[in-house]
């Protein structure tokens, strides 16, 4: 893990509420692994003390450039969207434990919902030699991003929108459920909002599919020192608190016990 002053190469709007930023971060790019994240200090506003965790969306090892895609949801991401080319960003990374592909995996399903689509592009870039099927869920056509990139490394892309303005109308997990009834996969990797992850846990358990999920928990330090990011890992009989920032953010689906589960 390095602390780094990374120069912004570009920062532009990709879709409604979504921005893509490319930074020059050689030391991070050379070690980064899909599912890992960077922790960004937002410059120019002293009230924004806490760093913001954002997943790595892709890297170019040759140039040392690193991409992130972020949704503007609050003060920090709004400030991030205003930053211009050439500004230096104070970042920590690469942080966390990323996705893991067990030996012998041939067919890989990847699933992302909303800003959870962002880290899955890096998965496809890194493991493009596998037989990849992508499942991407968005709110509406206006929020769809990087579809072409997914089409480049996927045998097939399944797309859904909540309002039906593009692709299947409804949840991407329903589409996955239909697909799994026809064709199984060796492994599923996923990232998305908690309600989506809960629905996914049920589907993969019913189809008995090995699945890793990336959790987005609120964070403080990002490096294991503050316990802000605890999650519950285990089973009904035996469980423990783990830190999303250092033990995760990626965990096996069947190990994650989410709030409100009975
Ligand atoms: C490991 C990880 C990877 C992430 N990757 C991405 C990504 O690739 N793209 C993307 O758009 N978003 C991602 N997020 C969510 C992103 O960190 C939050 O949306 C962002 O921090 C919101 O900051 P804000 O100041 O705009 O919002 P505010 O709501 O004003 O933030 C207030 C505080 O809450 C925290 N916070 C708010 N929402 C979240 C959230 N969903 N998850 C974690 N912390 C939150 C902020 O970091 C900040 O400390 C990721 C979160 C985690 C934990
Ligand atoms: S954010 Fe501080 S321990 Fe995870």
């Amino acid at each position: 893990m390095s602390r780094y002053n990374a120069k912004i190469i570009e920062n532009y709007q990709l879709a409604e509420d979504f921005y893509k930023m490319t930074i020059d971060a050689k030391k991070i790019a050379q070690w980064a692994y899909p599912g890992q994240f960077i922790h960004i200090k937002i410059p120019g506003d002293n009230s924004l003390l806490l760093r913001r965790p954002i997943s790595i969306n892709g890297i170019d090892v040759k140039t040392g450039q690193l991409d992130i895609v972020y949704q503007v949801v609050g003060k920090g991401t709004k400030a991030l969207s205003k930053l211009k080319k050439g500004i230096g960003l104070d970042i920590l990374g690469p942080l966390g434990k990323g996705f893991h592909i067990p030996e012998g995996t041939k067919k890989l399903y990847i699933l992302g919902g909303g800003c959870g689509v962002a880290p899955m592009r890096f998965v496809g870039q890194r493991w493009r030699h596998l037989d990849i099927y992508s499942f991407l869920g968005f709110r509406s056509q206006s929020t769809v991003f990087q579809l072409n990139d997914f089409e480049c490394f996927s045998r097939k892309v399944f797309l859904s929108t909540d309002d039906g303005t593009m692709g299947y109308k409804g949840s991407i997990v329903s589409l996955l459920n239909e697909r799994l009834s026809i064709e199984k996969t060796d492994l599923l990797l996923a990232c998305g909002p908690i309600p989506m992850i809960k629905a996914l846990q049920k589907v993969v358990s019913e189809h008995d599919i090995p699945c890793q999920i990336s959790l987005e928990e609120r964070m403080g330090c990002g490096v294991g020192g503050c316990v802000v990011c605890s999650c519950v890992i285990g089973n009904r009989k035996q469980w423990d608190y783990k830190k999303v920032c250092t033990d995760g953010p990626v965990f096996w689906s069947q190990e994650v016990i989410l709030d409100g589960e009975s």
Side-chain angles (χ1 to χ4, degrees):
M1 189 266 291
S2 313
R3 183 169 176 182
Y4 207 66
N5 190 275
K7 198 173 271 184
I8 298 175
I9 294 168
E10 56 180 12
N11 187 27
Y12 64 94
Q13 190 162 7
L14 263 188
E16 191 184 338
D17 298 337
F18 284 93
Y19 286 73
K20 180 179 178 207
M21 183 187 283
T22 302
I23 54 176
D24 188 3
K26 275 188 194 59
K27 278 189 201 150
I28 295 179
Q30 73 190 14
W31 297 111
Y33 208 71
Q36 288 188 301
F37 65 96
I38 58 172
H39 216 17
I40 307 174
K41 172 92 187 77
I42 310 290
D45 185 341
N46 290 335
S47 71
L48 299 173
L49 281 178
L50 289 178
R51 290 173 180 268
R52 270 40 178 178
I54 302 288
S55 303
I56 299 169
N57 172 248
I59 54 163
D60 184 332
V61 182
K62 282 194 200 119
T63 60
Q65 294 180 359
L66 181 152
D67 300 326
I68 55 170
V69 168
Y70 58 95
Q71 184 175 14
V72 172
V73 292
K75 233 176 150 184
T77 44
K78 179 92 191 154
L80 214 52
S81 72
K82 304 279 180 221
L83 298 177
K84 300 272 180 265
K85 179 179 172 175
I87 288 176
L89 266 192
D90 175 351
I91 57 174
L92 296 176
L95 297 180
K97 294 201 175 83
F99 292 106
H100 161 69
I101 304 277
E103 216 172 301
T105 303
K106 291 194 177 73
K107 186 180 287 183
L108 176 66
Y109 282 11
I110 60 181
L111 182 142
C115 66
V117 169
M120 307 322 291
R121 173 177 174 255
F122 190 14
V123 169
Q125 278 187 347
R126 175 61 62 94
W127 291 301
R128 59 170 65 239
H129 60 283
L130 296 177
D131 198 10
I132 296 180
Y133 290 76
S134 296
F135 297 79
L136 311 178
F138 298 94
R139 201 178 65 230
S140 184
Q141 183 173 19
S142 57
T143 63
V144 173
F145 61 85
Q146 295 185 324
L147 186 55
N148 289 345
D149 295 355
F150 281 87
E151 281 167 347
C152 283
F153 57 69
S154 307
R155 188 171 286 263
K156 190 166 166 61
V157 176
F158 296 86
L159 190 140
S160 76
T161 49
D162 296 341
D163 62 5
T165 44
M166 193 171 177
Y168 173 87
K169 182 175 192 282
S171 152
I172 194 62
V173 178
S174 307
L175 207 49
L176 171 79
N177 191 25
E178 281 176 24
R179 179 72 194 178
L180 285 174
S181 307
I182 303 165
E183 199 175 347
K184 301 267 187 255
T185 180
D186 296 328
L187 180 69
L188 173 68
L189 307 180
C191 184
I194 295 295
M196 193 200 90
I197 295 293
K198 284 184 178 175
L200 182 66
Q201 282 183 312
K202 193 163 173 282
V203 165
V204 293
S205 151
E206 281 165 6
H207 288 276
D208 197 19
I209 301 293
C211 172
Q212 293 164 27
I213 53 180
S214 180
L215 294 179
E216 289 187 3
E217 198 51 67
R218 284 181 183 252
M219 287 188 181
C221 66
V223 291
C226 73
V227 216
V228 162
C229 64
S230 302
C231 65
V232 183
I233 298 293
N235 57 49
R236 297 282 151 219
K237 290 189 184 138
Q238 201 177 1
W239 53 267
D240 201 358
Y241 288 108
K242 296 276 177 192
K243 294 170 183 173
V244 172
C245 65
T246 47
D247 297 315
V250 175
F251 297 95
W252 285 102
S253 163
Q254 78 273 13
E255 293 178 344
V256 178
I257 304 174
L258 294 167
D259 284 349
E261 279 187 82
S262 54

